[in-house]
Amino acid sequence: MKKIIDIEDLLEYLKIPEFKEKGSQEVILKKITQQALFEEEVMQIRAFQQVYKEVSIPQILYIGANNVAYTIHAFSSGEIFYKNISYDKDERVFDKEDLASLKEVKIPDELYKEGYEFYINEENHLVAVVSNTYASSSNDYISYKPSTFSYIKEFTPIVTYHYTNVYGTSANEKIKIESENTGGLLHRFPILSRSGARGEYTYQLSYYYKKDSNEVRRAVPAEEDYPFMGIRIHFKELTTVLSFLNQTIFYYYDEFNDYSSKWRSYFLVEVAAHIVGILNRSGADGKKVALIYHLSQPLYDRFKGNASLWNTLEILAKGYVRNNLSINEEDLILKLLKIIYHRYTHKQIEETFGNRTIKTEKEKQHIAGINNEFITNLITRKVDGKLLLYKLVKGLDGEQFQTYVYFIWKIWKSSSYADINPETNKLINITEKSPVLLDYRSDKKLGFYTDNANINWEGKNSLMDISVIIKTGELEEKEIEREDTTQKILVEKKEKIAYQYHPFSPVVLVNSENPKFILKEEENSNTLFTKLPAFILFANNETAFWQNVLKGAEYTVDILSTISGVGNILKAGRLVNLLKNGKTLFFKTKQLTTAITAVTAATGLIETSAATVNILFKLTGFEDTELGKAITKYLFYLEMLSLAGEATVFLKDKLSKTAKELVENPKFTKSLDDLVRNEKISELEEFKFYEELFTVYRQYIEDLKVLGIVPKLTHAAEKAFLRRLKQVFYKQYKSVLLKLNSDVVIIEKWNSIALSKPLLKSEIEELLDLRKLKKSAFNKNTAILEVDLLVQGKKVTLKYKAIAGKGQSAEGLVKSANQEDLIRQLELKDRNELDSHFQAIDKQTGDFKNRFQDSEVKMLDTFDEDLSVFHVTYGKENIQVTNMILNTLYEPCISCKKQIIIRQEIYDIKDIDVRAVYLGKGEFVQGNNDLKKLGII
């Protein structure tokens, strides 16, 4: 087992191992017989629970020919008898002469001490069972070895745990890890307790030894209880605890019935005890919705009744949580709907198996009645004077909208509302004004959705007005204009028919008349008809309307960008105002409204900076070229975006794709450089422009894959932006460099951000192996730098290796920094001035030396370059440098410490670990002579 070094190692160590399936129906038995063969048998879990009950036995047994086991029972007189291990706890004792051919049998250590439990049936036959868990299942225990935690115990007992919180951002919490020095089996399911004052480590997960299972108490664990717990993990926030358990336990065992065994049940009960009070508060405060966000299905039963859940849903639908707590309510709404529905459709019952009472969860029968009650709430509850069903249709967008619509549709299909027979449907009054078969016709031509209906529903009550225009089959005479005269023609007469539907009225559409209906029914096996609730027509109509608006905009820009030019585009853009009245955008998303630097946070309105628009106008002189067309379109979409007031999927895609055209056009970068060279814009304006453009450009790929390697930049614009980013970096670098103007300042700062720690033996060997890459490196310092990044929430580790000294490069090693480039970037006079910033006393010789070729300088310079490439590709705002680990044979000199401090200041690195060879008495190796003294070389 490898040593645990960081939080990722800890999560991997504690999580349920991956299996193809839980295999939750069988147990593995090993028969305990006189022959001591311990034959294996597989048995259904329910049959096993009905036949066997748990029993405590010694490791040495005496078993008869009938495979019934006995233990020795000695009296004070010295007489030896045998006591039967029995199902009904027989207290009689027997003389050996009364028993036929007893044979001593020792249960092997791998059964008795490694996670097996023992059971007996009514025939008094014993079996060993794998932890009373399921065949194919993960073991309920961890084989704990103290050495696994030795590094984290000595050097990093406090680590940073990252997770996505209810605000949709990355949360970072310091958690504290403690471990005992005794090995053994630990329960994989920890016991949660609360202790400590507010603001301290309030919550504790305790991983108890299996042998100490009976030592668990409901009281807060005291120090004398610690020997019973191999591992203890301390947290500050309860939401962090739930997130941690979601990653280690609930992600795998995600159903209530997974927790039927005695210890798992206790684990679940203790977690529930800490959340039940907050979950059942009235209203929707921050703590409550945060717990709901992280709540796993096995805990759905902990709400007291459904009324408070419906009330919370109503509060979320009002937008209170979004507006006052800045919490994304859309995911919470969907989560709450699923929790409520799960509680409607499932019940918990108690069943007795042997001497145990087990609570299990089962799906209820009569699902139609349950579904009736659930969806009736959606049309009887009101929010701001609107039906809850309507409020959610209008309030949810994009992926959440479709998830909501299909979720309700599926429930409706198995409800009494869906009955199309007017005589048996008691919930909907099916009349001529609300016929089941509706002559609704829709299609999509030239990218536009069309239909023959007008649908109006304001959501104040449960009546939807739907009118359709149909052909009557009769002909009528109609006049049309023909140049200087009029002409009479015969056309088929059309008629408008008005209907009124309940939102859950059953409606049947003919599929052939609706080939492009947007909201397709899931799992519809009928190829001729689609049955749906009437509100789906309203939802489909909302979707089609906005897709047509956006498709119209697409045609508009294509026409105007090739004919009318920029001026008319911007005038035409004002027409979008006419489309805004009384509408919300179905496809609005949060991603773009939070991505561009010039977002007005309060309104979600994207306003690109005036400087950017000014630069774009300066470039429109290329209007007859591909570049000119791309710039014109980009201006148009910015205008559309500002006028719509919402970041729609269409506009996001169009703007991003046009940004991609600009970035990939080789003439674009040259054109910008010409503006700078001719002093029409400043270098700072150019940099800001690149920032805004690349923020939009990155949106072109919705799920930009984060790979654990440095991205490659292929386009001229990317390389130009990289150059500008480096210029900004070196301005920051120089500012910090000049502040670190004395050894006292450097040492004081160093002691506040990093402390040297001893290298492990394996780490020393790895560094010494680097010397073998170059013959001239026999006495040189070698170092390895690891930097952890969070890139769009995903961890990426960059690793660098270096040998100190000029010319010490080989495959796999970083090269020296470019001195001439540094002189130019830092605006220094010459190499002598550069060298003055890279000097330190060699503690081995006492000489004043230039340290520009030190391994730390080489690696940090390479890292700076790589990080800038990451900034170009993913955006600086999406990248966080979380920690840095430097393994080096020699302790860093004062000059190298200065370089590390500069990066800590610029990148705001929270954790920096520096590990060197330990010399003793608080000192670390300074050079090759020290290594010789230690006998390492």
Side-chain angles (χ1 to χ4, degrees):
M1 172 65 69
K2 73 169 189 176
K3 284 183 170 57
I4 293 176
I5 303 296
D6 55 24
I7 186 64
E8 299 299 331
D9 294 337
L10 181 67
L11 290 170
E12 189 64 30
Y13 180 80
L14 295 176
K15 71 187 293 190
I16 306 293
E18 292 287 354
F19 287 83
K20 289 184 179 179
E21 57 182 26
K22 295 181 189 176
S24 58
Q25 301 301 315
E26 299 172 336
V27 292
I28 298 175
L29 316 179
K30 290 186 181 289
K31 297 179 181 178
I32 301 174
T33 62
Q34 190 182 60
Q35 291 75 28
L37 298 176
F38 301 99
E39 295 174 336
E40 189 173 289
E41 178 183 326
V42 176
M43 190 174 185
Q44 293 294 314
I45 179 67
R46 291 196 173 276
F48 169 79
Q49 290 171 331
Q50 292 170 355
V51 173
Y52 286 90
K53 68 179 180 181
E54 193 171 1
V55 65
S56 178
I57 62 173
Q59 189 170 5
I60 295 177
L61 302 171
Y62 299 88
I63 302 178
N66 59 356
N67 290 324
V68 172
Y70 295 82
T71 58
I72 290 180
H73 190 83
F75 287 95
S76 56
S77 62
E79 294 180 282
I80 301 296
F81 290 88
Y82 293 86
K83 188 174 182 179
N84 178 209
I85 301 173
S86 61
Y87 184 88
D88 55 4
K89 297 182 179 180
D90 188 351
E91 295 296 328
R92 292 178 297 165
V93 296
F94 301 89
D95 190 291
K96 186 174 182 179
E97 295 178 359
D98 299 331
L99 303 172
S101 59
L102 285 183
K103 182 179 179 182
E104 181 179 304
V105 174
K106 181 180 179 181
I107 301 175
D109 287 348
E110 60 265 26
L111 296 185
Y112 195 77
K113 296 180 180 180
E114 295 297 328
Y116 281 77
E117 294 173 349
F118 301 94
Y119 287 76
I120 192 168
N121 61 18
E122 291 182 339
E123 296 176 347
N124 294 337
H125 289 162
L126 290 170
V127 292
V129 179
V130 185
S131 319
N132 191 21
T133 58
Y134 312 136
S136 303
S137 169
S138 73
N139 201 304
D140 273 16
Y141 302 99
I142 300 167
S143 181
Y144 169 67
K145 295 179 180 179
S147 59
T148 305
F149 282 77
S150 60
Y151 182 87
I152 210 164
K153 187 172 185 177
E154 184 174 357
F155 297 112
T156 56
I158 296 176
V159 298
T160 303
Y161 173 60
H162 305 278
Y163 65 98
T164 301
N165 59 22
V166 70
Y167 301 94
T169 59
S170 178
N172 306 315
E173 183 177 312
K174 300 284 187 182
I175 64 174
K176 183 180 179 182
I177 304 163
E178 295 179 320
S179 58
E180 293 297 310
N181 294 325
T182 304
L185 287 178
L186 302 182
H187 287 281
R188 193 181 290 278
F189 294 79
I191 303 303
L192 176 62
S193 58
R194 176 174 179 141
S195 60
R198 188 177 298 276
E200 298 297 324
Y201 290 103
T202 309
Y203 298 95
Q204 176 177 309
L205 288 177
S206 304
Y207 293 79
Y208 279 82
Y209 290 102
K210 176 183 181 294
K211 63 183 180 61
D212 296 318
S213 299
N214 295 327
E215 300 295 341
V216 181
R217 298 180 296 164
R218 287 201 171 271
V220 175
E223 192 170 341
E224 55 264 30
D225 298 314
Y226 287 178
F228 306 136
M229 312 160 190
I231 305 169
R232 298 178 299 280
I233 306 177
H234 303 270
F235 301 82
K236 295 179 181 179
E237 298 293 337
L238 189 53
T239 50
T240 311
V241 175
L242 287 187
S243 172
F244 190 87
L245 292 176
N246 284 341
Q247 288 204 52
T248 55
I249 302 290
F250 291 127
Y251 84 98
Y252 188 81
Y253 289 116
D254 57 358
E255 297 176 4
F256 182 84
N257 291 341
D258 292 330
Y259 297 87
S260 58
S261 70
K262 185 176 179 180
W263 189 268
R264 290 191 193 183
S265 175
Y266 188 58
F267 154 77
L268 198 64
V269 166
E270 288 305 301
V271 173
H274 289 84
I275 65 173
V276 68
I278 300 173
L279 290 179
N280 289 286
R281 290 176 181 172
S282 60
D285 61 78
K287 283 192 175 181
K288 178 176 178 177
V289 296
L291 286 187
I292 292 172
Y293 182 81
H294 292 287
L295 201 65
S296 180
Q297 183 175 311
L299 296 165
Y300 284 0
D301 68 308
R302 303 302 158 152
F303 294 93
K304 295 176 182 177
N306 292 325
S308 67
L309 287 169
W310 283 112
N311 291 336
T312 303
L313 186 62
E314 291 171 6
I315 293 170
L316 290 173
K318 286 183 177 181
Y320 166 81
V321 174
R322 176 190 66 238
N323 296 333
N324 293 276
L325 301 178
S326 301
I327 290 173
N328 165 33
E329 84 282 2
E330 295 190 343
D331 290 333
L332 281 169
I333 285 172
L334 293 176
K335 182 77 173 279
L336 264 176
L337 282 169
K338 291 175 182 178
I339 291 173
I340 295 170
Y341 186 65
H342 182 88
R343 288 169 56 82
Y344 268 91
T345 56
H346 290 76
K347 62 180 178 180
Q348 291 183 359
I349 60 173
E350 290 186 347
E351 297 179 289
T352 302
F353 299 102
N355 62 346
R356 279 199 65 207
T357 299
I358 298 174
K359 186 181 283 189
T360 59
E361 190 170 73
K362 292 187 176 180
E363 194 167 353
K364 294 179 182 178
Q365 304 299 313
H366 312 295
I367 198 69
I370 293 168
N371 287 355
N372 294 344
E373 182 181 354
F374 178 80
I375 62 177
T376 295
N377 274 278
L378 294 172
I379 53 170
T380 55
R381 293 178 177 273
K382 285 194 172 184
V383 176
D384 298 331
K386 309 284 187 181
L387 301 185
L388 181 58
L389 174 72
Y390 175 89
K391 194 75 174 177
L392 295 180
V393 168
K394 298 290 283 187
L396 293 172
D397 302 293
E399 182 182 346
Q400 289 95 341
F401 173 90
Q402 293 197 34
T403 301
Y404 168 66
V405 167
Y406 289 128
F407 179 69
I408 302 302
W409 191 351
K410 186 174 183 179
I411 295 171
W412 175 88
K413 284 194 295 184
S414 298
S415 74
S416 303
Y417 283 101
D419 186 359
I420 63 174
N421 188 339
E423 296 182 2
T424 55
N425 192 327
K426 305 301 181 184
L427 297 176
I428 298 294
N429 186 23
I430 301 174
T431 67
E432 292 182 356
K433 280 290 185 182
S434 57
V436 171
L437 188 60
L438 180 65
D439 194 3
Y440 177 89
R441 300 164 187 251
S442 63
D443 204 350
K444 185 179 183 182
K445 295 178 180 178
L446 297 176
F448 288 92
Y449 289 97
T450 61
D451 62 46
N452 66 333
N454 181 44
I455 302 172
N456 183 42
W457 184 34
E458 295 182 356
K460 295 179 180 179
N461 55 45
S462 57
L463 287 177
M464 294 172 49
D465 294 320
I466 300 178
S467 59
V468 295
I469 298 174
I470 60 172
K471 296 177 180 180
T472 63
E474 301 175 6
L475 297 178
E476 65 176 350
E477 199 174 71
K478 187 176 181 180
E479 290 186 350
I480 60 172
E481 297 291 333
R482 294 287 192 191
E483 296 181 356
D484 297 331
T485 183
T486 59
Q487 180 182 350
K488 292 182 179 181
I489 61 170
L490 290 176
V491 296
E492 189 172 359
K493 188 177 181 181
K494 295 181 179 179
E495 181 182 0
K496 182 178 181 180
I497 304 178
Y499 300 110
Q500 274 196 331
Y501 283 92
H502 186 282
F504 289 136
S505 288
V507 176
V508 172
L509 304 183
V510 179
N511 289 345
S512 61
E513 300 290 354
N514 297 276
K516 301 296 183 180
F517 195 77
I518 301 172
L519 300 175
K520 295 290 186 183
E521 182 183 16
E522 297 177 331
E523 302 174 358
N524 183 15
S525 58
N526 191 327
T527 58
L528 300 178
F529 302 99
T530 295
K531 184 172 74 169
L532 46 78
F535 90 90
I536 295 292
L537 291 175
F538 175 77
N540 193 78
N541 188 58
E542 289 280 291
T543 307
F545 173 83
W546 280 108
Q547 288 200 12
N548 284 347
V549 169
L550 300 176
K551 189 65 181 178
E554 181 179 2
Y555 280 118
T556 301
V557 73
D558 287 343
I559 295 168
L560 294 176
S561 64
T562 55
I563 299 173
S564 303
V566 176
N568 284 335
I569 287 177
L570 298 182
K571 289 178 185 177
R574 305 296 174 189
L575 298 175
V576 180
N577 278 320
L578 299 175
L579 304 175
K580 291 171 58 182
N581 297 328
K583 294 291 181 181
T584 60
L585 287 173
F586 163 58
F587 282 113
K588 70 183 178 188
T589 62
K590 296 181 292 297
Q591 286 87 343
L592 193 58
T593 55
T594 57
I596 296 182
T597 54
V599 172
T600 303
T603 64
L605 179 64
I606 298 174
E607 301 171 343
T608 193
S609 67
T612 290
V613 175
N614 182 47
I615 291 172
L616 288 167
F617 271 117
K618 290 179 187 296
L619 292 172
T620 53
F622 302 93
E623 57 189 19
D624 294 329
T625 66
E626 289 301 318
L627 176 60
K629 289 179 182 178
I631 293 168
T632 301
K633 285 195 289 183
Y634 193 79
L635 274 168
F636 174 80
Y637 291 127
L638 286 175
E639 173 68 7
M640 288 284 291
L641 198 61
S642 65
L643 288 169
E646 301 282 358
T648 69
V649 166
F650 168 81
L651 289 178
K652 186 190 85 166
D653 285 346
K654 286 297 180 183
L655 196 61
S656 299
K657 287 178 182 178
T658 311
K660 182 174 184 287
E661 290 179 39
L662 294 179
V663 169
E664 295 181 357
N665 191 309
K667 296 180 180 179
F668 178 64
T669 301
K670 183 180 181 302
S671 302
L672 275 176
D673 289 341
D674 287 343
L675 291 179
V676 175
R677 188 164 41 253
N678 296 325
E679 297 183 349
K680 292 185 177 181
I681 62 173
S682 67
E683 288 187 351
L684 179 60
E685 286 176 317
E686 183 189 33
F687 171 72
K688 292 293 185 183
F689 175 78
Y690 273 126
E691 271 194 322
E692 290 187 23
L693 178 67
F694 272 86
T695 302
V696 180
Y697 167 64
R698 291 182 202 103
Q699 303 295 319
Y700 177 64
I701 303 174
E702 183 71 28
D703 298 313
L704 189 61
K705 290 185 178 179
V706 178
L707 304 174
I709 57 175
V710 181
K712 288 186 177 180
L713 304 184
T714 56
H715 303 296
E718 292 175 320
K719 295 172 183 177
F721 187 30
L722 176 64
R723 289 195 299 271
R724 296 302 185 211
L725 280 172
K726 289 174 67 176
Q727 288 173 356
V728 172
F729 166 78
Y730 280 113
K731 280 181 170 49
Q732 293 176 284
Y733 178 97
K734 187 174 182 178
S735 174
V736 181
L737 178 71
L738 295 177
K739 291 177 184 177
L740 300 172
N741 52 12
S742 74
D743 289 359
V744 174
V745 173
I746 295 170
I747 292 170
E748 182 180 353
K749 184 66 178 176
W750 178 260
N751 291 337
S752 70
I753 67 166
L755 292 174
S756 296
K757 300 173 184 176
L759 284 169
L760 300 175
K761 182 179 179 182
S762 59
E763 293 170 334
I764 296 172
E765 290 172 351
E766 184 180 11
L767 291 171
L768 289 174
D769 283 342
L770 291 181
R771 286 183 166 184
K772 299 174 183 177
L773 297 176
K774 299 282 289 187
K775 289 183 179 180
S776 57
F778 68 95
N779 63 347
K780 302 292 186 182
N781 183 42
T782 58
I784 298 174
L785 176 69
E786 287 190 18
V787 186
D788 288 336
L789 310 178
L790 274 182
V791 183
Q792 295 182 343
K794 181 177 179 180
K795 181 181 175 182
V796 173
T797 300
L798 303 180
K799 190 171 183 178
Y800 306 93
K801 299 177 181 180
I803 300 175
K806 191 173 182 179
Q808 299 293 344
S809 61
E811 187 176 353
L813 300 178
V814 299
K815 298 179 181 179
S816 299
N818 187 319
Q819 289 179 312
E820 296 303 323
D821 186 51
L822 268 178
I823 292 169
R824 180 178 56 81
Q825 294 280 11
L826 298 176
E827 299 175 329
L828 303 177
K829 295 177 184 177
D830 51 28
R831 188 170 294 184
N832 290 332
E833 188 177 359
L834 176 68
D835 291 344
S836 68
H837 296 289
F838 291 88
Q839 291 182 338
I841 295 175
D842 188 330
K843 292 184 179 181
Q844 295 268 295
T845 65
D847 297 331
F848 211 56
K849 288 189 176 181
N850 183 294
R851 310 310 295 253
F852 189 80
Q853 299 295 340
D854 276 10
S855 49
E856 292 91 335
V857 175
K858 295 180 180 182
M859 294 187 296
L860 290 170
D861 180 74
T862 306
F863 167 67
D864 293 334
E865 176 84 12
D866 290 347
L867 186 60
S868 293
V869 173
F870 270 95
H871 287 165
V872 171
T873 306
Y874 301 105
K876 189 174 182 179
E877 68 278 7
N878 296 318
I879 297 173
Q880 180 183 357
V881 183
T882 56
N883 66 286
M884 180 181 284
I885 300 174
L886 173 65
N887 287 0
T888 172
L889 287 176
Y890 307 161
E891 184 182 27
C893 67
I894 197 75
S895 173
C896 291
K897 288 178 179 178
K898 177 167 62 174
Q899 294 302 313
I900 294 170
I901 292 169
I902 292 172
R903 272 64 178 196
Q904 191 277 332
E905 290 262 335
I906 295 176
Y907 301 133
D908 190 28
I909 307 172
K910 303 301 181 186
D911 297 313
I912 296 180
D913 284 343
V914 177
R915 305 165 188 167
V917 179
Y918 189 59
L919 190 59
K921 297 182 180 181
E923 299 292 331
F924 290 85
V925 164
Q926 301 294 323
N928 208 49
N929 291 337
D930 287 342
L931 292 179
K932 291 178 179 178
K933 289 178 186 177
L934 293 172
I936 292 176
I937 57 172

